[in-house]
Amino acid sequence: MKKMLFALALSAVLLTGCEKEEPETETNTSTNSNSSSDSDEEKINEIFTCKIDGNQRSFSTLKGYYSSFLLDNINAFDNDWCGSRTGKGIKIERFDSENNSVVIELFEGLNEIETPMTYSLDTSDYDGVVVPKIARIAYNDIDLRFDYETGAGEFTSWHRNGNVTVNVTSTSNNVIEGTFEGWLCDEYYETYYSDELSLDSMHITEGKFKIKLVEENIGGICW
């Protein structure tokens, strides 16, 4: 009889111990949930869209074969950019599902932008130098860029027939927001052995962007 009473008492103690541990598990779960929620709030919902020749297009972070191999997402500002006439600049680039991309470059320091700010260039600002004075928009057609026979595939606003307008509406917390549009031109040789040039163009309208920037070195043409 004593053995039975002892066994019942021991069971009661073990059950009581288990019951006390359950609230701790619930508390830990609740804490982890709050941490995840805080992390989600810090994320930026990127926007990078436009119309190209009237067709709506969306661009986002690069996914696929070329990622981190030949191409990469860019969302940087650089206060020591040797490829800029001012020595400073901002560059953002995003891709569509076929790895074509739109690039926006501003040749000014992020902290120097007093929003709202408009950067606008037209054909009168083109002087034939490789680097634009204020801003540039480019579109890269990946299939044509890899067709080395002609050198076609980069449509750019930095051309005697091109222009660009970029409106920056906010740079709060290093998140750059704004709109863009422009006429982009692609001038290329008909064939690798030809001296005859062809000219193609595209019209970008209703462009919108919202990208979180990081400070890092921007690759580019240096002299």
Side-chain angles (χ1 to χ4, degrees):
M1 184 69 176
K2 290 181 179 180
K3 290 182 178 179
M4 184 177 295
L5 291 174
F6 177 76
L8 290 173
L10 180 61
S11 298
V13 171
L14 292 174
L15 288 172
T16 302
C18 292
E19 290 174 357
K20 289 181 179 179
E21 291 177 359
E22 289 179 1
E24 294 179 4
T25 303
E26 291 175 0
T27 301
N28 291 337
T29 302
S30 176
T31 301
N32 291 337
S33 176
N34 290 336
S35 298
S36 175
S37 176
D38 292 340
S39 176
D40 290 343
E41 290 178 359
E42 295 175 358
K43 294 180 179 179
I44 301 298
N45 292 323
E46 282 195 355
I47 298 172
F48 206 121
T49 62
C50 65
K51 287 185 177 180
I52 299 181
D53 294 333
N55 299 314
Q56 186 66 45
R57 301 280 296 276
S58 295
F59 300 82
S60 60
T61 53
L62 179 64
K63 300 178 180 66
Y65 175 76
Y66 296 113
S67 181
S68 299
F69 176 59
L70 294 174
L71 308 174
D72 203 0
N73 304 298
I74 300 175
N75 43 275
F77 68 95
D78 188 351
N79 291 321
D80 188 22
W81 185 8
C82 66
S84 165
R85 294 186 179 189
T86 63
K88 301 178 181 181
I90 297 167
K91 186 174 183 178
I92 56 179
E93 180 173 14
R94 288 297 183 264
F95 299 79
D96 66 12
S97 59
E98 297 180 351
N99 293 326
N100 304 309
S101 72
V102 170
V103 183
I104 298 175
E105 294 174 329
L106 300 177
F107 299 93
E108 185 167 33
L110 180 62
N111 295 331
E112 297 170 2
I113 299 177
E114 297 181 2
T115 57
M117 179 74 77
T118 298
Y119 300 88
S120 183
L121 293 175
D122 57 30
T123 56
S124 64
D125 296 293
Y126 181 81
D127 59 11
V129 179
V130 176
V131 180
K133 297 177 182 178
I134 297 177
R136 184 176 84 106
I137 299 175
Y139 175 88
N140 292 299
D141 184 313
I142 192 64
D143 289 335
L144 291 176
R145 290 303 300 274
F146 285 164
D147 180 8
Y148 300 111
E149 184 173 339
T150 63
E154 182 183 33
F155 293 79
T156 176
S157 61
W158 193 236
H159 186 274
R160 63 180 67 86
N161 296 320
N163 64 56
V164 56
T165 299
V166 179
N167 298 300
V168 180
T169 57
S170 176
T171 58
S172 178
N173 297 319
N174 291 353
V175 177
I176 188 167
E177 299 182 57
T179 61
F180 62 99
E181 63 180 9
W183 278 97
L184 315 186
C185 298
D186 182 19
E187 192 169 17
Y188 58 93
Y189 290 103
E190 285 290 342
T191 66
Y192 184 79
Y193 301 100
S194 172
D195 292 331
E196 297 183 9
L197 285 170
S198 291
L199 180 64
D200 199 359
S201 65
M202 64 169 55
H203 192 198
I204 288 184
T205 56
E206 299 181 32
K208 298 178 182 180
F209 59 85
K210 180 180 180 181
I211 303 289
K212 175 75 172 181
L213 297 175
V214 295
E215 185 173 7
E216 62 182 24
N217 293 331
I218 301 175
I221 298 172
C222 303
W223 54 85

